[in-house]
Amino acid sequence: YVYTLSSRGKLPNHCLHSIKSLLHWVDAKQVIVFFTPPINADHINTFERLGVNVRRVGNITEEFYISPFEETGHYGEKIRVCSVDASEVMFLDCDTLIYDDPSVIFTDKFDIKMRSSTFQQQRYKWDKMFDHYDCEMHDWMPNTGVIAFKHGVHKQIQADWRHYMNEDLVSFFPQIGGMNLTDQWALALSIGDYQVEKMSKREHLIEWDETLIDDSIIYHFDQDPQSYLDISDI
């Protein structure tokens, strides 16, 4: 189970609570946290006290912002999951909470499993992107907030995912709500040759865009729950 974060903004707070919810279901030794710059040593110490595997790494891409309203940028950090030496791996965004055993998600037959994005791509531009790069068509945009990989496929797509992350994919979709979804577009270009399945809402619920159901395994939360403590208080 893999997370990536830096010491920017609320990421450490969110990730701390996500991991503590995950540890109800998995052993701490199964959790890897990739910490990218800027790095606060106190945050590193907090996560190490949880018993998880903390790895300090550098940034991969130039900075980009998924949303025009974001205060912190992204650096292709999710690709770090591809370096993990395991046949089955799950990537989790920091703003997720785990309320049931996530290992059940791996019982289905697939190479890659995730939700489809809540943003609908402009189809003619989507087709044009795949034609331009001569890639096998993937007909829905993946949401990269929770990704399950089997059969070591995450390692097989690493080079392609990283390559497309550094391409000018924004030129194909300049008007999708002002959003830069480069990591999702790049992943879609990389997975056409594999068995890709959609997660159900029961497996991964996106709180800000969907009606809540009470038995979801993974919740992507909309805002900080009032019960959250600041990481400095932990």
Side-chain angles (χ1 to χ4, degrees), residues 87-196:
S87 61
E88 295 185 351
V89 177
M90 180 178 289
F91 174 84
L92 293 159
D93 267 354
C94 293
D95 55 347
T96 56
L97 292 172
I98 296 82
Y99 286 105
D100 205 342
D101 184 356
S103 68
V104 302
I105 294 174
F106 288 96
T107 58
D108 291 340
K109 292 182 179 180
F110 63 86
D111 292 322
I112 308 169
K113 195 174 191 182
M114 52 200 153
R115 290 295 306 276
S116 59
S117 175
T118 57
F119 280 86
Q120 297 299 313
Q121 69 271 13
Q122 296 173 7
R123 185 61 197 233
Y124 75 97
K125 292 184 178 181
W126 186 253
D127 293 348
K128 183 179 178 181
M129 181 178 71
F130 282 88
D131 288 343
H132 177 83
Y133 291 105
D134 193 24
C135 292
E136 185 73 23
M137 173 68 70
H138 185 73
D139 63 4
W140 50 273
M141 188 193 303
N143 182 300
T144 58
V146 178
I147 316 172
F149 296 97
K150 294 176 71 173
H151 312 127
V153 167
H154 59 296
K155 298 184 74 67
Q156 298 171 37
I157 68 169
Q158 180 175 13
D160 286 341
W161 194 4
R162 183 166 183 166
H163 168 74
Y164 294 123
M165 279 290 299
N166 287 291
E167 293 289 296
D168 182 22
L169 303 182
V170 177
S171 64
F172 291 97
F173 305 101
Q175 296 181 343
I176 298 188
M179 305 290 281
N180 179 353
L181 302 174
T182 293
D183 58 342
Q184 298 181 173
W185 301 328
L187 180 60
L189 287 167
S190 306
I191 60 178
D193 293 331
Y194 299 96
Q195 182 179 352
V196 183

Side-chain angles (χ1 to χ4, degrees), residues 6-8 12 35-46 56:
S6 70
S7 290
R8 294 185 178 203
F35 231 107
T36 62
I39 298 173
N40 181 313
D42 290 337
H43 293 166
I44 293 286
N45 292 336
T46 296
R56 297 185 186 215

Side-chain angles (χ1 to χ4, degrees), residues 55-69:
R55 303 181 185 181
R56 297 185 186 215
V57 294
N59 294 322
I60 291 178
T61 67
E62 295 295 324
E63 184 177 32
F64 67 93
Y65 289 81
I66 292 177
S67 165
F69 306 106

